[in-house]
Amino acid sequence: SAVISQKPSRDICQRGTSLTIQCQVDSQVTMMFWYRQQPGQSLTLIATANQGSEATYESGFVIDKFPISRPNLTFSTLTVSNMSPEDSSIYLCSAGEYEQFFGPGTRLTVL
Amino acid sequence: DAKTTQPPSMDCAEGRAANLPCNHSTISGNEYVYWYRQIHSQGPQYIIHGLKNNETNEMASLIITEDRKSSTLILPHATLRDTAVYYCIVRVEGNTPLVFGKGTRLSVIA
């Protein structure tokens, strides 16, 4: 099974600023996925990150707001840009071909 | 949109079997049934998955009906630590994302 870590685990940010979330996998993976979980809600897929190509975004999510990097097969970052209180959520990354594993999440609060 | 339907909540007495149902009537032939759970404030945890045969591991058993239109996750001896939201997801095996529905909130009661 893959072990996935995320940094930071939580943060409190001011509106208008940006936060970059890091996701590290302990083995090489082809695809990594980013999800958002708003308070009291289920998980929603933001984008799929494939190493060496642009991320593929789901409807309602755009690259200018959520730029993603995938510099190698074990690492990815998600930036939440120009934040507003509506961006307060838990952001999770995952990876895995058969059994998909998740990181512990980043709890973001925007004031 | 999620392709599964689950009851929003269930209760189970500690030590008893918890049987969580899931309907997936539009499942395709190459889609697997996956179960995950999310304990409060943690990332989702993989439980089990299967295609058409029943599956068992150290955590749970998965029973899939012969027509594959529904399944049941069985936790044989529920403990308080099994209190969580349980998600049933259908997915093509491989590098594809998971599409989460609302899941079932299981409360294990002492």
Side-chain angles (χ1 to χ4, degrees):
Chain A
S1 64
V3 177
I4 301 177
S5 59
Q6 288 185 232
K7 290 181 183 179
S9 59
R10 60 178 61 231
D11 207 341
I12 300 173
C13 300
Q14 296 297 319
R15 70 169 66 217
T17 63
S18 298
L19 176 71
T20 296
I21 301 167
Q22 299 178 11
C23 180
Q24 179 76 52
V25 188
D26 69 344
S27 58
Q28 293 185 342
V29 293
T30 305
M31 297 287 195
M32 295 178 72
F33 306 96
W34 287 96
Y35 294 82
R36 179 177 74 181
Q37 187 170 30
Q38 295 177 299
Q41 304 296 313
S42 183
L43 284 78
T44 301
L45 180 68
I46 297 173
T48 300
N50 190 4
Q51 196 269 335
S53 63
E54 291 276 341
T56 302
Y57 289 83
E58 297 299 301
S59 175
F61 298 95
V62 295
I63 186 171
D64 290 345
K65 176 67 176 177
F66 297 101
I68 288 171
S69 78
R70 183 77 202 277
N72 58 51
L73 290 173
T74 63
F75 187 79
S76 179
T77 67
L78 170 76
T79 298
V80 186
S81 303
N82 189 23
M83 288 183 285
S84 68
E86 292 71 35
D87 294 319
S88 297
S89 296
I90 299 174
Y91 292 86
L92 299 113
C93 66
S94 72
E97 186 170 345
Y98 302 104
E99 304 159 5
Q100 199 168 109
F101 297 97
F102 284 80
T106 296
R107 182 179 295 273
L108 171 62
T109 301
V110 184
L111 302 178
Chain B
D1 290 345
K3 296 176 64 175
T4 62
T5 304
Q6 300 176 250
S9 64
M10 293 181 63
D11 292 338
C12 178
E14 188 178 22
R16 303 297 294 269
N19 296 278
L20 291 90
C22 179
N23 287 322
H24 32 80
S25 58
T26 62
I27 192 170
S28 301
N30 62 345
E31 287 182 316
Y32 286 70
V33 180
Y34 283 77
W35 282 85
Y36 282 77
R37 72 181 183 183
Q38 187 174 28
I39 297 171
H40 182 62
S41 298
Q42 299 181 20
Q45 177 188 22
Y46 167 82
I47 301 173
I48 198 168
H49 77 287
L51 183 63
K52 51 185 177 182
N53 297 321
N54 298 337
E55 302 287 344
T56 296
N57 63 21
E58 65 279 2
M59 288 184 67
S61 294
L62 173 60
I63 309 298
I64 303 174
T65 57
E66 192 169 343
D67 64 7
R68 303 212 320 127
K69 292 185 177 182
S70 65
S71 61
T72 301
L73 178 75
I74 302 172
L75 308 178
H77 304 287
T79 71
L80 298 178
R81 289 176 295 179
D82 292 321
T83 293
V85 178
Y86 287 77
Y87 296 99
C88 169
I89 300 167
V90 295
R91 169 185 179 243
V92 175
E93 206 171 48
N95 284 307
T96 57
L98 296 163
V99 179
F100 287 80
K102 297 183 178 181
T104 296
R105 182 173 298 277
L106 175 68
S107 297
V108 180
I109 303 167

